[in-house]
Amino acid sequence: MGLFSRKPKLPPADRPPLHHDERVLAWAAVGNGEGDGVVVASNLGLWLPGRGERIGWHDVLKAVWSGRELTVTPADRVAERDGYLVVADCPAETYLLLDPGDLPHQVRARVTRSVAYTAHHPVPGGAGRVAARRVPGVDGLTWTVRYDPGTPTDDEAVAAETGRLVAAARAATAPANL
């Protein structure tokens, strides 16, 4: 593509059912481009082939671009505790993008921008990552904890320490003059 060339618009047949205030930022055909679907990045999240709903940027735990393939690991909401969600990795999904355009950049920028706070902490019997994410259209931050494999997530001591860690992180990130 030349300096001023633009990728053609997303064909109407490939357009996901966007929310009224949602707009397409970038897209790329998957596989050979012959009916394998498209990956669409919008201001609200990521639309992946074969899914009937968008994955919000705050629900993407990891996205890796190899130069040809985009691998996305969505979050699975495991439990809701007082003031935070416990999440785990869903299976990673990998898509071969033959003409990725701006899609990998948009995915990286949007996922990174959704993260307001992240820290890894030891807990009894393991460890976990406390994170605060920005959710489009929602005031404040959504707090999550992703435990390392092998951590006894249902243990009372783990839950108590996790609650303390989330409360401390919330206090440390709260605006001072409210």
Side-chain angles (χ1 to χ4, degrees):
M1 290 188 160
L3 181 61
F4 296 103
S5 298
R6 291 179 48 147
K7 190 174 198 169
K9 286 189 173 192
L10 180 63
D14 291 328
R15 193 172 183 82
L18 302 174
H19 190 264
H20 70 84
D21 62 348
E22 186 173 13
R23 67 186 189 289
V24 172
L25 303 172
W27 66 277
V30 174
N32 63 12
E34 311 239 347
D36 289 342
V38 294
V39 175
V40 177
S42 78
N43 57 314
L44 299 179
L46 195 59
W47 293 88
L48 300 173
R51 287 179 170 254
E53 57 189 40
R54 153 187 16 91
I55 299 170
W57 295 118
H58 61 286
D59 285 327
V60 176
L61 292 178
K62 186 176 181 182
V64 177
W65 172 242
S66 74
R68 287 182 45 92
E69 294 179 328
L70 178 66
T71 301
V72 178
T73 305
D76 180 23
R77 294 174 183 205
V78 176
E80 188 169 343
R81 294 191 180 150
D82 189 28
Y84 66 96
L85 299 170
V86 177
V87 298
D89 293 10
C90 282
E93 300 177 32
T94 300
Y95 302 94
L96 173 65
L97 307 179
L98 300 179
D99 183 14
D102 197 34
L103 183 71
H105 168 74
Q106 285 293 336
V107 170
R108 180 179 195 89
R110 296 289 170 155
V111 171
T112 300
R113 193 174 356 195
S114 77
V115 179
Y117 172 91
T118 182
H120 193 259
H121 298 281
V123 296
R129 178 162 302 280
V130 175
R133 307 285 295 264
R134 295 177 188 91
V135 179
V138 176
D139 287 338
L141 300 173
T142 297
W143 290 85
T144 62
V145 173
R146 182 183 161 274
Y147 292 111
D148 291 357
T151 302
T153 60
D154 292 334
D155 185 87
E156 287 183 29
V158 170
E161 178 63 7
T162 303
R164 188 192 69 71
L165 291 167
V166 171
R170 288 181 101 123
T173 60
N177 40 347
L178 284 182

